[in-house]
Structures are given as structure tokens and as C-alpha cells.
Coordinates of all heavy atoms in Angstrom, one line a residue:
M1 N 5.3 -17.3 -7.7 CA 6.0 -17.9 -8.9 C 6.4 -16.8 -9.9 O 7.5 -16.8 -10.4 CB 5.1 -19.0 -9.5 CG 5.8 -19.8 -10.5 SD 4.8 -21.1 -11.0 CE 5.8 -22.5 -11.0
L2 N 5.4 -15.9 -10.2 CA 5.7 -14.8 -11.1 C 6.8 -13.9 -10.6 O 7.6 -13.4 -11.4 CB 4.4 -14.0 -11.4 CG 4.6 -12.9 -12.4 CD1 5.0 -13.4 -13.8 CD2 3.3 -12.2 -12.6
A3 N 6.9 -13.8 -9.3 CA 7.9 -12.9 -8.7 C 9.3 -13.5 -9.0 O 10.3 -12.8 -9.1 CB 7.7 -12.8 -7.2
G4 N 9.4 -14.8 -9.1 CA 10.7 -15.5 -9.5 C 11.0 -15.3 -11.0 O 12.2 -15.2 -11.3
I5 N 10.0 -15.3 -11.8 CA 10.2 -15.3 -13.2 C 10.4 -13.8 -13.7 O 11.3 -13.5 -14.5 CB 9.0 -15.8 -14.0 CG1 8.8 -17.3 -13.6 CG2 9.1 -15.6 -15.5 CD1 7.5 -17.9 -14.1
N6 N 9.6 -12.9 -13.2 CA 9.6 -11.5 -13.6 C 9.5 -10.6 -12.3 O 8.5 -10.1 -12.0 CB 8.4 -11.2 -14.5 CG 8.4 -9.8 -15.0 OD1 9.4 -9.1 -14.9 ND2 7.3 -9.3 -15.5
P7 N 10.6 -10.4 -11.6 CA 10.6 -9.7 -10.4 C 10.6 -8.2 -10.6 O 11.4 -7.4 -10.2 CB 11.9 -10.1 -9.7 CG 12.8 -10.4 -10.8 CD 12.0 -11.0 -11.9
S8 N 9.5 -7.7 -11.3 CA 9.4 -6.2 -11.5 C 8.8 -5.6 -10.2 O 8.3 -6.3 -9.4 CB 8.5 -6.0 -12.7 OG 7.2 -6.3 -12.4
S9 N 8.9 -4.3 -10.2 CA 8.4 -3.6 -9.0 C 6.9 -3.8 -8.8 O 6.4 -4.0 -7.7 CB 8.7 -2.1 -9.1 OG 8.0 -1.5 -10.2
V10 N 6.1 -3.8 -9.9 CA 4.7 -4.0 -9.9 C 4.3 -5.5 -9.4 O 3.5 -5.7 -8.5 CB 4.0 -3.7 -11.2 CG1 2.5 -4.1 -11.2 CG2 4.2 -2.3 -11.6
V11 N 5.0 -6.4 -9.9 CA 4.8 -7.8 -9.5 C 5.1 -8.0 -8.0 O 4.4 -8.6 -7.3 CB 5.7 -8.8 -10.3 CG1 5.7 -10.2 -9.7 CG2 5.2 -8.8 -11.8
L12 N 6.2 -7.4 -7.6 CA 6.6 -7.5 -6.2 C 5.7 -6.7 -5.2 O 5.5 -7.1 -4.1 CB 8.1 -7.2 -6.0 CG 9.0 -8.2 -6.6 CD1 10.5 -7.8 -6.5 CD2 8.8 -9.6 -6.1
L13 N 5.1 -5.6 -5.7 CA 4.2 -4.9 -5.0 C 2.9 -5.7 -4.8 O 2.3 -5.8 -3.7 CB 3.9 -3.5 -5.6 CG 2.8 -2.6 -4.9 CD1 3.3 -2.3 -3.5 CD2 2.7 -1.3 -5.7
N14 N 2.5 -6.4 -5.8 CA 1.3 -7.3 -5.7 C 1.6 -8.4 -4.8 O 0.7 -8.8 -4.0 CB 0.9 -7.8 -7.1 CG 0.2 -6.7 -7.9 OD1 -0.6 -5.9 -7.4 ND2 0.5 -6.7 -9.2
R15 N 2.8 -8.9 -4.8 CA 3.2 -10.0 -3.9 C 3.1 -9.5 -2.4 O 2.7 -10.3 -1.6 CB 4.6 -10.4 -4.2 CG 5.1 -11.6 -3.3 CD 6.5 -12.1 -3.8 NE 6.8 -13.3 -3.0 CZ 7.5 -13.2 -1.9 NH1 7.8 -12.0 -1.3 NH2 7.8 -14.3 -1.2
L16 N 3.4 -8.2 -2.2 CA 3.3 -7.7 -0.8 C 1.8 -7.8 -0.3 O 1.6 -8.1 0.8 CB 3.7 -6.2 -0.8 CG 5.2 -5.9 -0.6 CD1 5.3 -4.4 -0.4 CD2 5.8 -6.6 0.5
T17 N 0.9 -7.5 -1.2 CA -0.5 -7.6 -0.9 C -0.9 -9.0 -0.5 O -1.6 -9.3 0.5 CB -1.4 -7.2 -2.1 OG1 -1.0 -5.8 -2.4 CG2 -2.9 -7.2 -1.7
V18 N -0.4 -10.0 -1.2 CA -0.6 -11.4 -0.9 C 0.0 -11.7 0.5 O -0.6 -12.4 1.3 CB -0.1 -12.3 -2.0 CG1 -0.1 -13.8 -1.6 CG2 -0.8 -12.1 -3.3
I19 N 1.3 -11.3 0.7 CA 1.9 -11.5 2.0 C 1.1 -11.0 3.1 O 0.9 -11.6 4.2 CB 3.3 -10.9 2.0 CG1 4.2 -11.7 1.0 CG2 3.9 -11.0 3.4 CD1 5.6 -11.0 0.8
F20 N 0.5 -9.8 2.9 CA -0.3 -9.1 4.0 C -1.5 -10.0 4.2 O -1.9 -10.2 5.4 CB -0.7 -7.7 3.5 CG -1.6 -7.0 4.5 CD1 -1.3 -6.9 5.8 CD2 -2.8 -6.5 4.1 CE1 -2.1 -6.3 6.7 CE2 -3.6 -5.8 5.0 CZ -3.3 -5.7 6.3
K21 N -2.2 -10.5 3.2 CA -3.4 -11.3 3.4 C -3.1 -12.6 4.0 O -3.9 -13.1 4.8 CB -4.1 -11.5 2.0 CG -4.6 -10.3 1.3 CD -5.7 -9.6 2.0 CE -6.2 -8.4 1.2 NZ -7.2 -7.7 1.9
V22 N -2.0 -13.2 3.7 CA -1.7 -14.6 4.2 C -0.9 -14.6 5.5 O -1.2 -15.4 6.4 CB -0.9 -15.4 3.1 CG1 -0.5 -16.7 3.6 CG2 -1.8 -15.5 1.9
E23 N 0.1 -13.7 5.6 CA 1.0 -13.8 6.7 C 1.0 -12.6 7.7 O 1.6 -12.6 8.7 CB 2.5 -13.9 6.2 CG 2.6 -15.2 5.4 CD 4.1 -15.4 5.0 OE1 5.0 -15.1 5.7 OE2 4.3 -15.9 3.8
G24 N 0.2 -11.5 7.3 CA 0.0 -10.4 8.3 C 1.0 -9.2 8.1 O 1.8 -9.2 7.2
A25 N 0.7 -8.3 8.9 CA 1.4 -7.0 8.8 C 2.9 -7.0 9.0 O 3.7 -6.4 8.2 CB 0.8 -6.0 9.8
Q26 N 3.3 -7.7 10.0 CA 4.8 -7.7 10.3 C 5.6 -8.3 9.2 O 6.6 -7.7 8.8 CB 5.1 -8.5 11.6 CG 4.8 -7.6 12.8 CD 5.5 -6.3 12.8 OE1 4.8 -5.3 12.8 NE2 6.8 -6.2 12.8
K27 N 5.2 -9.4 8.6 CA 5.9 -10.0 7.5 C 5.9 -9.1 6.3 O 6.9 -9.0 5.6 CB 5.3 -11.4 7.1 CG 5.5 -12.5 8.1 CD 6.7 -13.2 7.9 CE 6.8 -14.4 8.8 NZ 7.9 -15.2 8.6
T28 N 4.8 -8.4 6.1 CA 4.7 -7.5 4.9 C 5.6 -6.3 5.1 O 6.3 -5.9 4.2 CB 3.2 -7.0 4.8 OG1 2.3 -8.1 4.8 CG2 3.0 -6.2 3.5
L29 N 5.6 -5.8 6.3 CA 6.5 -4.6 6.5 C 8.0 -5.0 6.4 O 8.8 -4.3 5.9 CB 6.2 -4.0 7.9 CG 4.8 -3.4 8.0 CD1 4.6 -3.0 9.5 CD2 4.7 -2.2 7.1
S30 N 8.3 -6.2 6.9 CA 9.7 -6.7 6.7 C 10.1 -6.9 5.3 O 11.2 -6.5 4.8 CB 9.9 -8.0 7.5 OG 9.7 -7.8 8.8
A31 N 9.2 -7.4 4.5 CA 9.4 -7.6 3.1 C 9.5 -6.3 2.3 O 10.4 -6.1 1.5 CB 8.3 -8.5 2.4
A32 N 8.7 -5.4 2.7 CA 8.8 -4.0 2.1 C 10.1 -3.3 2.4 O 10.7 -2.7 1.5 CB 7.6 -3.2 2.5
E33 N 10.5 -3.4 3.6 CA 11.7 -2.8 4.1 C 12.9 -3.4 3.4 O 13.9 -2.6 3.0 CB 11.9 -3.0 5.6 CG 13.0 -2.3 6.2 CD 12.7 -0.8 6.3 OE1 11.5 -0.3 6.4 OE2 13.7 0.0 6.3
A34 N 12.9 -4.7 3.1 CA 14.0 -5.3 2.4 C 14.1 -5.2 0.9 O 15.0 -5.5 0.3 CB 14.0 -6.8 2.8
S35 N 13.0 -4.7 0.4 CA 12.9 -4.6 -1.1 C 13.7 -3.5 -1.7 O 13.7 -2.3 -1.2 CB 11.4 -4.4 -1.5 OG 11.4 -4.3 -2.9
P36 N 14.4 -3.8 -2.8 CA 15.1 -2.7 -3.6 C 14.1 -1.8 -4.3 O 14.6 -0.8 -4.9 CB 16.0 -3.5 -4.5 CG 15.2 -4.8 -4.8 CD 14.6 -5.1 -3.5
Y37 N 12.9 -2.1 -4.3 CA 11.9 -1.3 -5.1 C 11.2 -0.2 -4.2 O 10.3 0.5 -4.7 CB 10.8 -2.2 -5.7 CG 11.4 -3.0 -6.8 CD1 11.5 -4.4 -6.6 CD2 11.8 -2.5 -8.0 CE1 12.1 -5.2 -7.6 CE2 12.3 -3.3 -9.0 CZ 12.4 -4.6 -8.8 OH 13.0 -5.4 -9.8
R38 N 11.5 -0.1 -2.9 CA 10.8 0.8 -2.0 C 10.7 2.3 -2.6 O 9.7 2.9 -2.5 CB 11.5 0.9 -0.7 CG 11.2 -0.4 0.1 CD 11.7 -0.3 1.5 NE 11.1 0.8 2.2 CZ 11.7 1.5 3.1 NH1 13.0 1.3 3.4 NH2 11.1 2.5 3.8
T39 N 11.8 2.8 -3.1 CA 11.8 4.1 -3.7 C 10.8 4.2 -4.8 O 10.1 5.2 -4.9 CB 13.2 4.5 -4.1 OG1 14.1 4.4 -3.0 CG2 13.2 5.9 -4.7
E40 N 10.8 3.2 -5.7 CA 9.9 3.2 -6.8 C 8.4 3.1 -6.3 O 7.5 3.8 -6.8 CB 10.2 2.1 -7.8 CG 9.5 2.2 -9.1 CD 10.0 1.1 -10.1 OE1 11.2 0.7 -10.0 OE2 9.2 0.8 -11.0
W41 N 8.2 2.2 -5.3 CA 6.9 2.0 -4.8 C 6.3 3.3 -4.2 O 5.1 3.5 -4.3 CB 6.9 0.9 -3.7 CG 7.1 -0.4 -4.3 CD1 6.9 -0.9 -5.5 CD2 7.5 -1.6 -3.5 NE1 7.2 -2.2 -5.6 CE2 7.5 -2.7 -4.4 CE3 7.8 -1.8 -2.2 CZ2 7.9 -4.0 -3.9 CZ3 8.2 -3.0 -1.7 CH2 8.2 -4.1 -2.6
K42 N 7.2 4.1 -3.6 CA 6.7 5.3 -3.0 C 6.0 6.3 -4.0 O 5.3 7.2 -3.6 CB 7.8 6.0 -2.2 CG 8.1 5.2 -1.0 CD 9.2 5.8 -0.1 CE 9.5 5.0 1.1 NZ 10.5 5.5 1.9
K43 N 6.2 6.1 -5.3 CA 5.6 6.9 -6.3 C 4.2 6.3 -6.8 O 3.6 6.9 -7.6 CB 6.5 7.0 -7.5 CG 7.8 7.7 -7.2 CD 8.8 7.6 -8.4 CE 10.2 7.9 -8.0 NZ 11.1 7.6 -9.1
N44 N 3.9 5.1 -6.2 CA 2.7 4.4 -6.7 C 1.6 4.4 -5.6 O 1.9 4.1 -4.4 CB 3.1 2.9 -6.9 CG 2.1 2.1 -7.6 OD1 0.9 2.2 -7.2 ND2 2.5 1.2 -8.5
Y45 N 0.4 4.9 -6.0 CA -0.6 5.0 -5.0 C -1.0 3.6 -4.4 O -1.4 3.6 -3.2 CB -1.9 5.6 -5.6 CG -2.8 4.7 -6.4 CD1 -3.8 4.1 -5.9 CD2 -2.5 4.5 -7.8 CE1 -4.6 3.2 -6.6 CE2 -3.3 3.6 -8.5 CZ -4.4 3.0 -7.9 OH -5.2 2.2 -8.6
L46 N -0.8 2.5 -5.1 CA -1.2 1.2 -4.6 C -0.3 0.9 -3.3 O -0.8 0.2 -2.4 CB -1.0 0.1 -5.6 CG -2.0 0.2 -6.8 CD1 -1.7 -0.8 -7.9 CD2 -3.4 0.0 -6.3
Y47 N 1.0 1.3 -3.4 CA 1.8 1.0 -2.2 C 1.3 1.8 -1.0 O 1.2 1.2 0.1 CB 3.3 1.5 -2.5 CG 4.2 1.6 -1.3 CD1 4.7 0.4 -0.8 CD2 4.4 2.8 -0.7 CE1 5.6 0.4 0.3 CE2 5.3 2.8 0.4 CZ 5.8 1.7 0.9 OH 6.6 1.7 2.0
H48 N 0.9 3.0 -1.2 CA 0.4 3.8 0.0 C -0.9 3.3 0.5 O -1.2 3.3 1.7 CB 0.4 5.3 -0.4 CG 1.7 5.9 -0.7 ND1 2.5 6.3 0.4 CD2 2.4 6.1 -1.8 CE1 3.7 6.7 -0.1 NE2 3.6 6.6 -1.5
S49 N -1.7 2.8 -0.5 CA -3.0 2.3 -0.1 C -2.8 1.0 0.8 O -3.5 0.8 1.8 CB -3.9 1.9 -1.3 OG -5.1 1.4 -1.0
L50 N -1.9 0.1 0.3 CA -1.6 -1.1 1.1 C -1.0 -0.7 2.4 O -1.4 -1.3 3.4 CB -0.6 -1.9 0.3 CG 0.0 -3.2 1.0 CD1 -1.1 -4.1 1.4 CD2 1.0 -3.9 0.2
M51 N -0.1 0.2 2.5 CA 0.4 0.6 3.8 C -0.7 1.2 4.7 O -0.7 0.9 5.9 CB 1.5 1.7 3.6 CG 2.8 1.2 3.0 SD 3.7 -0.1 4.0 CE 3.5 -1.5 3.0
G52 N -1.6 1.9 4.1 CA -2.8 2.4 4.9 C -3.6 1.2 5.5 O -3.9 1.2 6.6
D53 N -3.8 0.2 4.6 CA -4.5 -1.0 5.1 C -3.7 -1.7 6.2 O -4.3 -2.2 7.2 CB -4.7 -2.0 3.9 CG -5.7 -1.5 2.9 OD1 -6.4 -0.5 3.1 OD2 -5.7 -2.1 1.8
I54 N -2.4 -1.8 6.1 CA -1.6 -2.4 7.1 C -1.7 -1.7 8.4 O -1.9 -2.3 9.5 CB -0.1 -2.5 6.7 CG1 0.0 -3.6 5.5 CG2 0.8 -2.9 7.8 CD1 1.3 -3.5 4.8
Y55 N -1.6 -0.4 8.4 CA -1.6 0.4 9.6 C -3.0 0.7 10.2 O -3.2 1.2 11.3 CB -0.8 1.7 9.5 CG 0.6 1.4 9.5 CD1 1.4 1.4 8.3 CD2 1.3 1.1 10.7 CE1 2.7 1.2 8.3 CE2 2.7 0.8 10.7 CZ 3.4 0.9 9.5 OH 4.7 0.6 9.5
A56 N -4.1 0.4 9.4 CA -5.4 0.7 9.8 C -5.8 0.1 11.1 O -6.6 0.6 11.9 CB -6.4 0.3 8.7
G57 N -5.2 -1.1 11.4 CA -5.6 -1.8 12.6 C -4.7 -1.4 13.8 O -5.0 -1.8 15.0
S58 N -3.7 -0.7 13.6 CA -2.8 -0.4 14.7 C -2.4 1.1 14.9 O -2.2 1.5 16.1 CB -1.5 -1.2 14.6 OG -0.8 -0.8 13.4
D59 N -2.4 1.9 13.9 CA -2.0 3.3 14.0 C -2.9 4.1 12.9 O -2.4 4.3 11.8 CB -0.5 3.4 13.7 CG 0.0 4.8 13.9 OD1 -0.8 5.8 13.8 OD2 1.2 5.0 14.1
T60 N -4.0 4.5 13.4 CA -5.0 5.1 12.4 C -4.5 6.4 11.9 O -4.8 6.8 10.7 CB -6.4 5.3 13.1 OG1 -6.2 6.0 14.3 CG2 -7.0 3.9 13.4
S61 N -3.7 7.1 12.6 CA -3.1 8.4 12.2 C -2.2 8.1 11.0 O -2.2 8.8 10.0 CB -2.4 9.1 13.3 OG -1.8 10.3 12.8
L62 N -1.3 7.1 11.2 CA -0.4 6.8 10.1 C -1.1 6.2 8.9 O -0.8 6.5 7.7 CB 0.7 5.8 10.6 CG 1.8 5.5 9.6 CD1 2.6 6.7 9.2 CD2 2.8 4.5 10.3
A63 N -2.1 5.4 9.1 CA -2.9 4.8 8.1 C -3.6 6.0 7.2 O -3.5 6.0 6.0 CB -4.0 3.9 8.6
K64 N -4.1 7.0 7.9 CA -4.8 8.1 7.2 C -3.7 8.8 6.4 O -4.0 9.2 5.2 CB -5.4 9.1 8.3 CG -6.1 10.2 7.6 CD -6.8 11.1 8.6 CE -7.5 12.2 7.8 NZ -8.0 13.2 8.7
T65 N -2.5 9.0 6.9 CA -1.5 9.7 6.1 C -1.2 8.9 4.8 O -1.1 9.5 3.8 CB -0.2 9.8 7.0 OG1 -0.5 10.6 8.1 CG2 0.9 10.5 6.2
F66 N -1.1 7.6 4.9 CA -0.8 6.8 3.8 C -2.0 6.9 2.8 O -1.8 7.0 1.6 CB -0.6 5.3 4.1 CG 0.8 5.0 4.5 CD1 1.1 4.6 5.8 CD2 1.9 5.1 3.6 CE1 2.4 4.3 6.2 CE2 3.2 4.8 4.0 CZ 3.5 4.5 5.3
Y67 N -3.2 6.8 3.3 CA -4.4 6.9 2.4 C -4.5 8.3 1.7 O -4.8 8.3 0.5 CB -5.7 6.7 3.2 CG -6.0 5.3 3.6 CD1 -6.6 5.0 4.8 CD2 -5.6 4.2 2.8 CE1 -6.9 3.7 5.2 CE2 -5.8 2.9 3.2 CZ -6.5 2.6 4.4 OH -6.7 1.3 4.8
E68 N -4.1 9.3 2.4 CA -4.1 10.7 1.8 C -3.1 10.7 0.7 O -3.4 11.3 -0.4 CB -3.9 11.7 2.9 CG -5.0 11.9 3.8 CD -4.7 12.8 5.0 OE1 -3.5 13.0 5.3 OE2 -5.6 13.3 5.7
T69 N -1.9 10.2 0.9 CA -0.9 10.2 -0.1 C -1.4 9.4 -1.3 O -1.2 9.8 -2.5 CB 0.4 9.6 0.4 OG1 0.8 10.4 1.6 CG2 1.5 9.6 -0.6
A70 N -2.0 8.2 -1.1 CA -2.5 7.4 -2.2 C -3.5 8.2 -3.0 O -3.5 8.2 -4.2 CB -3.1 6.1 -1.6
A71 N -4.4 8.9 -2.3 CA -5.4 9.7 -3.0 C -4.8 10.8 -3.8 O -5.3 11.1 -4.9 CB -6.4 10.3 -1.9
R72 N -3.7 11.4 -3.3 CA -3.1 12.4 -4.1 C -2.4 11.8 -5.4 O -2.3 12.5 -6.4 CB -2.0 13.2 -3.3 CG -2.5 14.2 -2.4 CD -1.4 15.1 -1.9 NE -0.3 14.4 -1.2 CZ -0.3 14.0 0.1 NH1 -1.4 14.3 0.8 NH2 0.7 13.4 0.5
L73 N -1.9 10.6 -5.3 CA -1.2 10.0 -6.4 C -2.0 9.4 -7.5 O -1.6 9.3 -8.6 CB -0.2 8.9 -5.8 CG 1.0 9.4 -5.0 CD1 1.7 8.3 -4.4 CD2 1.9 10.3 -5.9
T74 N -3.2 9.0 -7.1 CA -4.1 8.3 -8.1 C -4.9 9.4 -8.9 O -5.2 10.4 -8.4 CB -5.0 7.3 -7.5 OG1 -5.7 6.6 -8.6 CG2 -6.1 8.0 -6.6
K75 N -5.1 9.1 -10.2 CA -5.9 9.9 -11.0 C -7.4 9.4 -11.1 O -8.3 10.0 -11.6 CB -5.4 10.0 -12.4 CG -4.0 10.7 -12.5 CD -3.5 10.7 -13.9 CE -2.3 11.5 -14.2 NZ -1.2 11.6 -13.4
S76 N -7.6 8.2 -10.5 CA -8.9 7.5 -10.6 C -9.8 8.1 -9.5 O -9.6 8.0 -8.3 CB -8.7 6.0 -10.4 OG -9.9 5.4 -10.1
E77 N -11.0 8.6 -10.0 CA -12.0 9.1 -9.1 C -12.6 8.0 -8.2 O -12.8 8.2 -7.1 CB -13.1 9.9 -9.8 CG -12.6 11.2 -10.4 CD -12.1 12.1 -9.3 OE1 -12.7 12.3 -8.2 OE2 -11.0 12.8 -9.6
A78 N -12.7 6.8 -8.8 CA -13.3 5.7 -8.1 C -12.3 5.3 -7.0 O -12.7 5.0 -5.8 CB -13.5 4.5 -9.0
E79 N -11.0 5.3 -7.2 CA -10.0 4.9 -6.2 C -10.0 6.0 -5.1 O -9.9 5.7 -3.9 CB -8.6 4.8 -6.9 CG -7.6 4.1 -6.1 CD -7.9 2.6 -5.8 OE1 -8.4 2.0 -6.8 OE2 -7.7 2.2 -4.7
K80 N -10.1 7.3 -5.5 CA -10.2 8.3 -4.5 C -11.4 8.2 -3.6 O -11.3 8.4 -2.4 CB -10.2 9.7 -5.2 CG -8.9 10.1 -5.8 CD -9.0 11.4 -6.5 CE -7.7 11.7 -7.3 NZ -7.6 13.0 -7.8
K81 N -12.5 7.8 -4.1 CA -13.7 7.6 -3.3 C -13.5 6.4 -2.4 O -13.9 6.5 -1.2 CB -14.9 7.3 -4.2 CG -15.5 8.5 -4.9 CD -16.7 8.2 -5.8 CE -17.1 9.5 -6.5 NZ -18.2 9.2 -7.4
L82 N -12.9 5.3 -2.8 CA -12.6 4.2 -2.0 C -11.7 4.6 -0.8 O -11.9 4.2 0.3 CB -12.0 3.0 -2.8 CG -11.5 1.8 -2.0 CD1 -12.7 1.1 -1.3 CD2 -10.8 0.8 -2.9
L83 N -10.6 5.3 -1.2 CA -9.7 5.8 -0.1 C -10.4 6.7 0.9 O -10.1 6.6 2.1 CB -8.5 6.5 -0.8 CG -7.6 5.5 -1.6 CD1 -6.7 6.3 -2.6 CD2 -6.7 4.7 -0.7
Q84 N -11.3 7.5 0.4 CA -12.0 8.4 1.3 C -12.9 7.5 2.3 O -12.9 7.8 3.5 CB -12.9 9.4 0.5 CG -13.6 10.4 1.4 CD -12.7 11.3 2.2 OE1 -11.7 11.7 1.7 NE2 -13.0 11.5 3.5
K85 N -13.5 6.5 1.8 CA -14.3 5.6 2.6 C -13.4 4.9 3.6 O -13.8 4.8 4.8 CB -15.1 4.6 1.8 CG -16.2 5.1 1.0 CD -17.0 4.0 0.3 CE -18.1 4.7 -0.5 NZ -18.9 3.7 -1.2
K86 N -12.2 4.5 3.2 CA -11.3 3.9 4.2 C -10.9 4.9 5.3 O -10.9 4.5 6.4 CB -10.1 3.4 3.4 CG -10.3 2.1 2.6 CD -9.1 1.6 1.9 CE -9.3 0.4 1.2 NZ -8.1 -0.3 0.7
M87 N -10.7 6.1 4.9 CA -10.4 7.1 5.9 C -11.5 7.4 6.9 O -11.3 7.5 8.1 CB -9.9 8.4 5.3 CG -8.5 8.3 4.7 SD -7.9 9.9 4.1 CE -8.5 9.9 2.4
E88 N -12.7 7.4 6.3 CA -13.9 7.6 7.2 C -14.1 6.4 8.2 O -14.5 6.6 9.3 CB -15.2 7.7 6.3 CG -15.2 9.1 5.6 CD -16.2 9.1 4.5 OE1 -17.0 8.2 4.3 OE2 -16.3 10.2 3.8
H89 N -13.8 5.2 7.8 CA -13.9 4.1 8.6 C -12.8 4.1 9.7 O -13.0 3.4 10.7 CB -13.8 2.8 7.8 CG -15.1 2.4 7.2 ND1 -15.2 2.7 5.8 CD2 -16.2 1.9 7.6 CE1 -16.5 2.3 5.5 NE2 -17.1 1.9 6.5
L90 N -11.8 4.9 9.6 CA -10.7 5.0 10.6 C -11.3 5.8 11.8 O -10.7 5.7 12.9 CB -9.5 5.7 10.0 CG -8.7 4.9 9.0 CD1 -7.6 5.8 8.5 CD2 -8.1 3.6 9.6
G91 N -12.3 6.6 11.5 CA -12.8 7.5 12.5 C -12.1 8.9 12.3 O -11.0 9.0 11.9
G92 N -12.8 9.9 12.6 CA -12.3 11.2 12.5 C -12.0 11.6 11.0 O -11.4 12.6 10.8
G93 N -12.5 10.8 10.0 CA -12.2 11.1 8.6 C -13.3 11.9 8.0 O -13.1 12.6 7.1

């Protein structure tokens, strides 16, 4: 509903997370691909973290790349630790 009222890049990025949780990876990737905010999202660590989560179940190498990018983009030490744990759970991290 908020996406219809205020379709900002952050609102729609949060919507992608909901799509992933409810409808799965394919729907999320399709929605991301169709979004006019993709370029802006690529500057946001949350986008890369979400993409890492999406690919964690199918392409661990790509997931790790997304997590590494997210870790470089965030200034939060707590977020960096969380991303490191996610990479370790992929194996070979």
C-alpha cells in the first residue's frame, strides 16, 4: 500500500524484501529487473544483501559477491558482521 502512495526507491526496495519472503526468488528478480530504481539500488547495501539472500540457495558464488559488495557499502560494523556470518554459512567463507 505504501508503495502506491509513496513509491520511493527505499519503499520499493523494502517491497522487494516482502516479495522475496512471500513469493520467492523468481518473482523478486523479475520485480527488481523491471524497476526504474535499479541503478539507485546498486548504491545501497541493502539491495546487495537482499540479492545475496536470494542467490544463497542457488548460486553461492554470486551470493558471496553480493554480500561482499554489501559489506563494502555499509558503514555499520554490526551489518558487516552479519554479512560475514552469511558468507561463512555459504561455505568457503
Side-chain angles (χ1 to χ4, degrees):
M1 191 174 222
L2 183 57
I5 296 168
N6 181 18
S8 71
S9 66
V10 173
V11 169
L12 293 177
L13 180 55
N14 286 322
R15 185 174 183 274
L16 277 186
T17 302
V18 173
I19 292 170
F20 178 53
K21 298 289 184 187
V22 174
E23 298 186 38
Q26 281 308 116
K27 291 271 188 175
T28 308
L29 293 172
S30 294
E33 189 72 27
S35 176
Y37 293 109
R38 284 185 64 216
T39 301
E40 191 172 335
W41 287 341
K42 289 181 180 182
K43 300 172 192 170
N44 188 319
Y45 82 92
L46 293 171
Y47 169 79
H48 294 279
S49 181
L50 174 60
M51 290 295 114
D53 291 349
I54 289 170
Y55 285 105
S58 62
D59 186 337
T60 56
S61 177
L62 187 55
K64 183 177 180 189
T65 299
F66 277 115
Y67 288 146
E68 288 170 342
T69 301
R72 278 194 308 275
L73 291 173
T74 187
K75 292 178 173 42
S76 167
E77 288 304 316
E79 197 66 38
K80 287 179 186 191
K81 286 180 185 178
L82 175 62
L83 291 161
Q84 184 61 40
K85 285 182 182 181
K86 288 182 177 188
M87 285 187 271
E88 289 168 3
H89 282 102
L90 292 174

